[in-house]
């Protein structure tokens, strides 16, 4: 009986912590560098130098137009070598309305061209103001947004917010999504 009470108390405590937005026990520790592989895996609860926000805070910032939202989800290119008669339909991306989609900028290692694409994209999105709030996201359990947000910090952006629930959390709250195309690579 005593073990059941202890188990019940432990379960109640875990549920209370989860309801309060505490990180699950399975959240990995924050690494010292970028994540280089297995990008769809549990993410840490923190990002040094950034503010981690939940869906309610993200929605409040979006509603007040108080931040620029940056989607870091990769973009699948058209496969090479498709026969000429095959119809290629690009997978649509639905994201938070008004976002800037800078795909492929959340990989752990970036080519020089992708790094420049990120830098130009953030400059354009922020209007050149490195103090303007930037909210980075992709999907739940996606390291792409964590890496991209960390990279923005290294570029000197002072008000970086990370929204780890991404469009999955946004959609679960029944907030609007809109189809987005990636920012052009110049």
């Amino acid at each position: 009986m005593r073990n059941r009470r202890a188990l019940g108390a432990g379960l109640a405590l875990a549920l209370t912590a989860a309801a309060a937005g505490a990180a699950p026990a399975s959240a990995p520790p924050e690494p010292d560098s970028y994540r280089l592989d297995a990008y769809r895996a549990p993410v840490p609860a923190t990002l040094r130098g950034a503010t981690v926000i939940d869906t309610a805070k993200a929605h409040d910032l979006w509603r007040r137009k108080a931040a620029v939202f940056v989607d870091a989800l990769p973009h699948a290119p058209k496969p090479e070598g498709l026969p000429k008669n095959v119809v290629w339909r690009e997978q649509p991306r639905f994201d938070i309305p008004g976002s800037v989609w800078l795909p492929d900028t959340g990989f752990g290692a970036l080519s020089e061209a992708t790094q420049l694409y990120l830098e130009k994209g953030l400059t354009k999105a922020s209007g050149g103001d490195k103090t303007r709030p930037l909210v980075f996201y992709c999907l739940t359990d996606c390291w792409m947004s964590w890496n991209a947000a960390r990279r923005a910090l290294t570029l000197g952006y002072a008000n970086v917010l990370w929204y780890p629930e991404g469009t999955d959390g946004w959609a679960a709250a029944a907030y609007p999504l809109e189809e987005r195309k990636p920012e052009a690579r110049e």
Side-chain angles (χ1 to χ4, degrees):
M1 182 74 149
R2 187 174 195 191
N3 285 343
R4 284 187 183 162
R5 278 192 200 140
L7 181 60
L11 182 57
L13 183 60
L15 290 173
T16 301
S26 62
E30 183 175 337
D32 292 329
S33 190
Y34 299 105
R35 176 75 171 232
L36 298 173
D37 60 9
Y39 296 108
R40 288 304 308 269
V43 294
T46 60
L47 174 54
R48 277 183 293 284
T51 301
V52 180
I53 60 173
D54 62 9
T55 299
K57 180 65 175 176
H59 185 259
D60 178 59
L61 290 167
W62 174 79
R63 183 185 51 76
R64 293 186 297 114
K65 297 181 181 5
V68 175
F69 283 71
V70 180
D71 184 357
L73 189 74
H75 181 248
K78 181 178 179 179
E80 291 183 27
L82 284 179
K84 290 182 182 183
N85 60 344
V86 170
V87 176
W88 165 253
R89 288 200 175 91
E90 189 174 305
Q91 177 76 20
R93 171 66 175 149
F94 291 91
D95 69 9
I96 298 169
S99 294
V100 173
W101 185 16
L102 299 174
D104 309 324
T105 59
F107 286 108
L110 298 183
S111 68
E112 187 176 322
T114 302
Q115 177 70 30
L116 188 58
Y117 171 67
L118 173 65
E119 291 173 17
K120 287 181 177 180
L122 292 180
T123 298
K124 180 180 175 186
S126 68
D129 179 359
K130 289 197 171 186
T131 65
R132 186 152 186 210
L134 299 173
V135 176
F136 289 84
Y137 71 94
C138 55
L139 304 169
T140 299
D141 286 337
C142 178
W143 283 83
M144 293 291 177
S145 58
W146 190 92
N147 280 344
R150 187 169 197 270
R151 198 162 271 115
L153 290 166
T154 65
L155 291 171
Y157 287 88
N159 202 349
V160 174
L161 299 105
W162 176 46
Y163 175 39
E165 297 169 54
T167 51
D168 294 331
W170 192 266
Y175 293 135
L177 294 168
E178 68 181 13
E179 189 168 352
R180 175 87 45 231
K181 298 290 183 197
E183 290 296 308
R185 292 181 185 254
E186 298 170 3

